[in-house]
Amino acid sequence: MTTAATRYLHLLRHGEATPDESGLTGNGRRQAALLGHRLRGVPFAADHHGPLPPGGGDRTPDPRGTGRRHPPPPHGVGRRLRPHFPRRDELPSESADFFLRFLEGPPEEQEQGAAPARRALDRFTGPVEGEGGEDRHELVVTHNFLVAWLVRDAMRAPAWRRLGFNHANAALTVIRYAPGRPATVLPANDMRHLPADLRWTGFPPELHI
């Protein structure tokens, strides 16, 4: 008989990037080091980093501080994931114009974003089969779009609701997938490991709290 195990999915947004997105800023390197210290004792069974541009190998370093490089995961967890382009009638009337302007883009982007989003749900969500009942911890270092999409799915919210959930650089979100139970979002956008001057990067100044 196959026994399912609880999956703990640790979702991290990379540290603050340089303007050309080729690496981390000084703040980003400090964020990554502090995040690595926080996660040092977590027994990760798997880790996944998004694809990087050439020369961008320091952008999403191993947050556990081992210095290892990681190949892109087979299903892709990159920043261009745009899994759902909502229709106007799906959106709250007071914010429909704002969201539709934000999502403007060529039609081909819709399918290009939707396919990896479906694969991400298949790959990263739900209890883990055949693990003998042992809890499994997995790490995904990615961009804001994927974090928001997975949190939305865990909350069983409509697809458009990924909009408006933002994740700070080097923040931590954990989703628990236990057999026979609904998914549970544990910490979300958690920055306790960062000092005040390193929190909320990736957000516009008016949203810093």
Side-chain angles (χ1 to χ4, degrees):
M1 179 178 177
T2 301
T3 304
T6 296
R7 184 201 309 260
Y8 289 88
L9 189 65
H10 300 249
L11 299 168
L12 315 176
R13 185 179 177 186
H14 59 75
E16 183 182 61
T18 57
D20 64 1
E21 301 192 339
S22 63
L24 296 178
T25 64
N27 280 344
R29 288 191 293 274
R30 288 174 60 202
Q31 289 169 333
L34 291 165
L35 181 56
H37 181 76
R38 175 172 178 174
L39 297 176
R40 189 164 46 187
V42 180
F44 289 112
D47 49 77
H48 309 274
H49 287 219
L52 301 176
D58 292 329
R59 181 164 180 187
T60 54
D62 179 5
R64 289 169 291 175
T66 66
R68 291 190 297 125
R69 295 284 190 247
H70 303 272
H75 298 291
V77 291
R79 66 181 294 235
R80 302 199 192 318
L81 180 98
R82 292 197 174 211
H84 177 67
F85 282 65
R87 302 185 311 271
R88 178 175 291 275
D89 61 6
E90 293 180 83
L91 297 167
S93 58
E94 67 275 12
S95 54
D97 288 340
F98 170 80
F99 283 134
L100 291 172
R101 283 196 305 272
F102 173 74
L103 292 171
E104 281 181 344
E108 58 269 20
E109 279 193 17
Q110 298 189 31
E111 182 54 31
Q112 290 172 358
R118 289 191 295 267
R119 292 195 295 269
L121 292 179
D122 291 341
R123 171 62 186 85
F124 296 123
T125 67
V128 183
E129 298 295 331
E131 290 291 315
E134 294 291 330
D135 290 350
R136 179 179 173 89
H137 293 261
E138 296 188 19
L139 173 72
V140 176
V141 182
T142 185
H143 291 265
N144 187 51
F145 283 138
L146 182 60
V147 177
W149 181 246
L150 292 170
V151 169
R152 175 220 62 82
D153 178 75
M155 300 299 291
R156 301 206 174 178
W160 72 267
R161 204 61 190 90
R162 71 179 177 86
L163 301 168
F165 180 87
N166 296 308
H167 211 252
N169 293 121
L172 171 66
T173 289
V174 181
I175 305 176
R176 180 177 186 260
Y177 300 96
R181 300 182 186 181
T184 304
V185 179
L186 300 175
N189 200 37
D190 187 348
M191 293 173 275
R192 285 177 293 169
H193 49 284
L194 301 176
D197 64 317
L198 293 181
R199 296 180 183 179
W200 299 107
T201 63
F203 279 64
E206 65 270 18
L207 298 182
H208 293 199
I209 60 173

